[in-house]
């Protein structure tokens, strides 16, 4: 059941990036003092680290997604519901940004958040949100489910 959501999450990620590139590139939208929709071409990883290393990121992401797909295929029935959700979100996020890197040569980021007028988060996208939520869910799963 969860695996059928992967195409939905990929579509949502790609559609929002398409929308951002056609609307926020020309004119960013400030929703309020702490939330803005903007357009950034990120050639690096998280926080723009290692900018310009697209080949490295493409190869790394292909290996990670292949490993994850094989792992899920072999172990799906043994995973608890939280692990299945985490894996689905991680896979969706990795593939969403991989598509950008292959098609554009960069990842489209467009969500800008500033907390307490002090800290500007790096601009991010839905695929980044999927990966972040996946890590959080996986940590919760480790704390909640007992391993044998």
């Amino acid at each position: 059941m969860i695996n059928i959501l992967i195409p939905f999450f990929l579509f949502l990620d790609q559609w929002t990036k398409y929308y951002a590139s056609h609307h926020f590139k020309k004119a960013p939208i400030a929703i309020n003092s702490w939330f803005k929709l903007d357009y950034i071409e990120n050639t690096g990883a998280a926080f723009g680290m290692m900018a310009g290393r697209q080949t490295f990121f493409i190869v790394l992401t292909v290996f990670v997604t292949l490993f994850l797909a094989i792992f899920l295929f072999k172990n799906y029935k043994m995973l608890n519901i939280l692990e299945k959700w985490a894996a689905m979100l991680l896979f969706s996020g990795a593939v969403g940004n991989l598509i950008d890197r292959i098609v554009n040569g960069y990842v489209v980021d467009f969500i800008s958040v500033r907390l307490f007028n002090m800290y500007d988060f790096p601009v991010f996208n839905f695929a980044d949100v999927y990966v972040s939520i996946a890590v959080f869910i996986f940590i919760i799963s480790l704390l909640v489910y007992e391993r044998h």
Side-chain angles (χ1 to χ4, degrees):
M1 167 61 184
I2 289 175
N3 291 336
I4 64 171
L5 292 174
I6 291 173
F8 169 76
F9 283 115
L10 284 172
F11 171 79
L12 182 62
D13 173 64
Q14 292 298 300
W15 182 83
T16 56
K17 290 173 179 174
Y18 173 85
Y19 189 87
S21 65
H22 286 82
H23 292 88
F24 308 141
K25 190 174 191 176
K26 299 172 188 166
I29 298 172
I31 305 298
N32 53 40
S33 64
W34 58 271
F35 186 77
K36 182 169 71 168
L37 298 172
D38 204 347
Y39 174 85
I40 303 293
E41 295 175 358
N42 183 358
T43 61
F47 310 108
M49 294 184 303
M50 298 174 61
R53 308 264 324 260
Q54 292 307 314
T55 303
F56 170 76
F57 291 124
I58 289 170
V59 170
L60 178 66
T61 305
V62 167
F63 279 118
V64 168
T65 53
L66 283 175
F67 173 80
L68 186 58
I70 292 167
F71 174 81
L72 286 172
F73 183 75
K74 288 183 175 184
N75 301 293
Y76 190 79
K77 290 182 181 180
M78 295 180 351
L79 300 177
N80 64 55
I81 189 68
L82 291 178
E83 291 167 335
K84 290 175 182 177
W85 272 95
M88 181 263 310
L89 287 167
L90 181 61
F91 188 85
S92 298
V95 172
N97 281 342
L98 177 63
I99 291 169
D100 274 18
R101 290 186 196 288
I102 292 171
V103 171
N104 302 323
Y106 54 84
V107 173
V108 173
D109 289 331
F110 61 92
I111 302 168
S112 178
V113 176
R114 180 180 177 101
L115 287 183
F116 310 114
N117 287 327
M118 297 183 333
Y119 181 74
D120 285 322
F121 278 99
V123 181
F124 56 96
N125 59 46
F126 275 63
D128 300 333
V129 172
Y130 302 159
V131 171
S132 298
I133 292 172
V135 170
F136 178 75
I137 290 173
F138 187 68
I139 291 169
I140 296 299
S141 174
L142 289 174
L143 297 173
V144 171
Y145 286 95
E146 187 176 318
R147 295 283 170 205
H148 300 284

